[in-house]
Amino acid sequence: MIRRPSLVAARQVGGSGFEAVLAVARQFRPAAIVCESIYGFDLARRLGAALAVPVLIRSHNIEFRYMATQFRLARTARQKLQIAAARLHLRRYEVAALRSAAAVLDISQSDAAFWHGRGMRSVSWVPPAFPDLEDEADTGPVWADRRFDAGYLGNLWAPNNVAAVRWFLDTVLPLIRQRRSDIDILIAGAGAAPDLARKIAGTPNVTLIENPGDAVALRRQVRVLINPILAGGGLNTKSLEMLFCASPIVATPFALAGIPDEMADAYEVAGTAQSFADCVIAALARPYAANAARLAARERFGHGGVAVLSGLLLQEIAAHRRDGSWR
């Protein structure tokens, strides 16, 4: 940690460990190495050099900005200390990693534009793809048979997610209950912070399901999906996964960060507590039907997304083979 952020230091592989990984990689004979996020890049770079293949980074966030937001929202001294360690040297490390990769495939359109503005032309916008979800879109129980009226699914330990759920419970839900006192709410996800779990337990008609085994099946039990996120970074993948469900989606503008503007019509977008409550009530009052924007988004983030990602990988591999090296 003298020279590396804590999350990078924790992923160092040396000595016999590296030799074991390298032996497996040699057997596999990769044409390229794709590093998911920057934190394992030291290992990916060493493997790329040993195997003489290009290394690409799949960027999930502008990490130094994302961690700054998480530090600001952290509620305990322990969590602040952990995030502070993760921020040590992070900006310098992130910039160096992105500049030294053969290419960067960023899941967020706005994050890719941020790096372009700083002269990084090797960054391309390639959002996640969910072909399995596209195959199963609009399946599940009929509207009347679903267990919950509205629901949120996401990890329940990250400070920005905790803040989002608390905002919904404290500010939005009372406005909804002025008109729908009997509404049933689902909050589900991994690792609920203890104070959040206690808050949910003390809120009538709100069910907490921790560490659900099948998030897709659980989403199908919800009439209206919500994403009340107010801060964070990168692309909110929850917002994309929801597109494949037979449910209206009520989301804050921040929940759509990194998604093309023309896809906003696939969501009910609400920037205030009152408008969020109004959208939930309205969505519960009418039958769901996927509109043109939602169908187009499913194609872009389903099988169409796989084709884009595959094409870029093949392009980078071909370029490497032409010049015989990667920087």
Side-chain angles (χ1 to χ4, degrees):
M1 286 176 56
I2 295 173
R3 296 179 296 109
R4 297 282 190 267
S6 65
L7 294 178
V8 174
R11 287 162 173 77
Q12 299 299 301
V13 179
S16 60
F18 175 75
E19 293 302 323
V21 175
L22 179 59
V24 173
R26 288 193 192 280
Q27 284 188 324
F28 184 76
R29 300 178 62 194
I33 294 171
V34 180
C35 183
E36 285 290 332
S37 89
I38 63 169
Y39 293 113
F41 185 67
D42 283 359
L43 173 60
R45 178 167 46 194
R46 292 176 66 194
L47 290 172
L51 300 171
V53 297
V55 177
L56 298 83
I57 291 177
R58 187 75 162 142
S59 180
H60 294 213
N61 279 304
I62 303 171
E63 294 290 344
F64 74 88
R65 295 173 66 177
Y66 175 74
M67 285 297 183
T69 298
Q70 300 290 41
F71 181 82
R72 176 173 58 82
L73 294 173
R75 294 173 60 85
T76 67
R78 177 185 177 85
Q79 198 170 46
K80 280 190 175 293
L81 183 61
Q82 290 173 330
I83 298 172
R87 295 178 66 195
L88 285 173
H89 320 296
L90 181 55
R91 181 170 187 159
R92 175 177 55 79
Y93 181 87
E94 181 171 17
V95 170
L98 298 186
R99 289 194 184 282
S100 60
V104 178
L105 312 178
D106 203 307
I107 70 170
S108 165
Q109 189 180 57
S110 55
D111 286 2
F114 172 88
W115 293 119
H116 288 165
R118 282 146 183 81
M120 294 191 191
R121 296 302 164 193
S122 62
V123 180
S124 301
W125 173 58
V126 190
F130 307 95
D132 292 344
L133 294 182
E134 186 178 7
D135 292 340
E136 301 175 13
D138 289 344
T139 59
V142 298
W143 185 271
D145 294 338
R146 298 185 189 182
R147 180 181 172 190
F148 301 101
D149 294 307
Y152 169 87
L153 281 80
N155 85 63
L156 299 174
W157 51 264
N160 62 323
N161 287 0
V162 172
V165 173
R166 293 180 71 90
W167 175 74
F168 177 80
L169 295 177
D170 288 340
T171 310
V172 179
L173 187 54
L175 297 174
I176 294 174
R177 286 193 167 148
Q178 289 175 6
R179 288 173 284 174
R180 281 286 303 268
S181 59
D182 60 342
I183 191 168
D184 286 317
I185 304 294
L186 167 69
I187 305 295
D195 62 334
L196 182 61
R198 287 192 295 271
K199 183 172 188 61
I200 294 171
T203 306
N205 293 348
V206 178
T207 299
L208 171 64
I209 297 180
E210 291 195 74
N211 307 309
D214 187 343
V216 173
L218 196 53
R219 276 195 292 265
R220 289 173 179 160
Q221 292 293 330
V222 177
R223 293 184 179 88
V224 178
L225 294 167
I226 61 170
N227 192 351
I229 202 80
L230 300 171
L235 180 73
N236 204 273
T237 54
K238 293 186 290 293
S239 295
L240 299 188
E241 292 171 348
M242 291 176 184
L243 289 169
F244 299 93
C245 296
S247 300
I249 306 164
V250 180
T252 61
F254 194 91
L256 307 188
I259 298 174
D261 292 341
E262 63 268 20
M263 293 182 182
D265 287 343
Y267 304 85
E268 302 295 329
V269 185
T272 67
Q274 186 63 63
S275 63
F276 205 99
D278 292 342
C279 285
V280 171
I281 293 292
L284 286 170
R286 61 177 181 265
Y288 159 80
N291 61 17
R294 190 148 179 180
L295 294 175
R298 285 176 178 174
E299 168 58 23
R300 180 64 185 82
F301 302 124
H303 292 283
V306 175
V308 171
L309 177 57
S310 301
L312 275 172
L313 288 173
L314 290 172
Q315 177 182 312
E316 290 299 329
I317 291 166
H320 164 71
R321 286 174 175 167
R322 281 196 301 272
D323 64 26
S325 65
W326 67 280
R327 59 185 181 284

